[in-house]
């Protein structure tokens, strides 16, 4: 046990496979260490092939991937974004920073996920997007949400920070909405210290 471990009650224990230092060394030796190197390409390929995403881009965090999502849907002053009342601040921060109003929707009775049945009453002509969070990898009711999105012509962004290799009716989470963001922060299931990616369908 290290001195740090003796003195702290850990919030989480990062999952390591044992090959990390070998790969870090390989990356350093390649002299391409700021991104867009061989491991970036491997990650893009893995996500696109394994989960069938149309396009994947590695980012420095899930927070940054959500920034990209907010920019891509052209979030502007006066837009309303429907989001779950229970989530991490990054789910909505990027939209707040661009002047959007966050309209929080209550959770399901038995989970922290957004209650899809309560969304439609919150939709107005200003609603631009619904952000869903599959909390701890538990899938949100995506059929109901995608139907609403189509009916009202609004975007669905999946904050899939917790949801690598999690599924809804056999479909990978992150592959159902218009855009998705994943996290590789050390508290998540697949980690890189800090990191994330953005996907579109
Ligand atoms: C639901 C949710 N979204 C987004 C994030 C942000 O992830 P990152 O630390 O990779 O920016 C987190 C981090 O815990 C999260 O729990």
């Amino acid at each position: 046990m290290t001195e740090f471990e003796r003195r702290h009650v850990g919030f989480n224990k990062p999952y390591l496979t044992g090959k990390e230092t070998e790969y870090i060394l390989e990356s350093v030796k390649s002299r391409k260490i700021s991104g867009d190197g061989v491991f970036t390409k491997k990650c893009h390929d893995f996500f696109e092939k394994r989960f069938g995403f149309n396009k994947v881009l590695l980012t420095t965090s899930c927070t940054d991937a959500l920034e990209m999502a907010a920019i891509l849907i052209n979030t502007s002053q006066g837009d309303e974004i429907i989001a779950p009342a229970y989530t991490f601040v990054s789910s909505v921060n990027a939209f707040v920073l661009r002047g959007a109003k966050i309209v929080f929707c209550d959770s399901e009775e038995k989970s922290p996920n957004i209650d899809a049945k309560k969304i439609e009453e919150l939709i107005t002509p200003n609603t631009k997007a619904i952000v869903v969070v599959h909390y701890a990898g538990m899938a949100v009711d995506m059929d109901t949400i995608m139907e609403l999105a189509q009916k009202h012509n609004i975007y669905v962004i999946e904050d899939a920070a917790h949801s690598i290799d999690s599924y809804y009716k056999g479909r990978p989470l992150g592959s159902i909405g218009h855009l998705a963001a994943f996290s590789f922060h050390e508290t998540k299931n697949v980690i890189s210290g800090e990191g994330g990616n953005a996907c579109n369908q």
Side-chain angles (χ1 to χ4, degrees):
M1 199 185 269
T2 63
E3 180 59 19
F4 182 84
E5 284 169 333
R6 254 195 302 281
R7 290 157 60 99
H8 294 82
V9 176
F11 174 63
N12 73 296
K13 200 166 182 186
Y15 175 69
L16 303 174
T17 66
K19 292 210 158 182
E20 289 77 9
T21 40
E22 183 189 320
Y23 292 150
I24 289 167
L25 198 61
E26 197 179 318
S27 174
V28 171
K29 280 184 180 161
S30 78
R31 305 228 166 208
K32 189 83 192 78
I33 50 176
S34 65
D36 275 344
V38 63
F39 288 99
T40 302
K41 188 165 178 350
K42 276 181 198 277
C43 282
H44 290 164
D45 285 353
F46 175 83
F47 270 83
E48 286 171 5
K49 290 193 182 119
R50 168 90 177 244
F51 302 118
F53 298 126
N54 187 32
K55 182 73 190 162
V56 175
L57 289 172
L58 278 193
T59 58
T60 48
S61 65
C62 180
T63 302
D64 279 353
L66 288 161
E67 285 278 331
M68 283 174 69
I71 292 166
L72 284 168
I73 66 163
N74 192 26
T75 306
S76 323
Q77 193 83 33
D79 287 344
E80 292 175 14
I81 306 289
I82 298 176
Y86 187 81
T87 184
F88 185 65
V89 64
S90 293
S91 304
V92 296
N93 223 13
F95 306 95
V96 174
L97 289 170
R98 284 163 184 82
K101 176 179 154 196
I102 308 303
V103 179
F104 288 108
C105 181
D106 209 350
S107 302
E108 291 176 327
E109 205 176 304
K110 295 195 173 159
S111 95
N113 279 348
I114 195 166
D115 189 340
K117 295 189 296 302
K118 294 188 179 148
I119 292 177
E120 193 160 26
E121 65 203 59
L122 303 175
I123 294 175
T124 74
N126 294 329
T127 305
K128 184 83 164 262
I130 305 168
V131 175
V132 301
V133 179
H134 307 289
Y135 209 89
M138 290 182 291
V140 165
D141 174 3
M142 290 306 287
D143 281 348
T144 303
I145 287 169
M146 294 314 290
E147 267 169 41
L148 283 176
Q150 204 169 12
K151 180 171 162 195
H152 296 278
N153 199 22
I154 49 189
Y155 293 107
V156 174
I157 297 165
E158 295 184 75
D159 177 344
H162 309 174
S163 309
I164 292 177
D165 214 9
S166 298
Y167 296 82
Y168 173 76
K169 298 187 178 174
R171 299 170 69 188
L173 296 182
S175 73
I176 304 166
H178 303 98
L179 296 165
F182 287 89
S183 174
F184 305 134
H185 185 264
E186 71 156 49
T187 49
K188 306 302 187 304
N189 298 356
V190 176
I191 60 171
S192 65
E194 271 203 275
N197 72 20
C199 313
N200 81 337
Q201 307 324 318

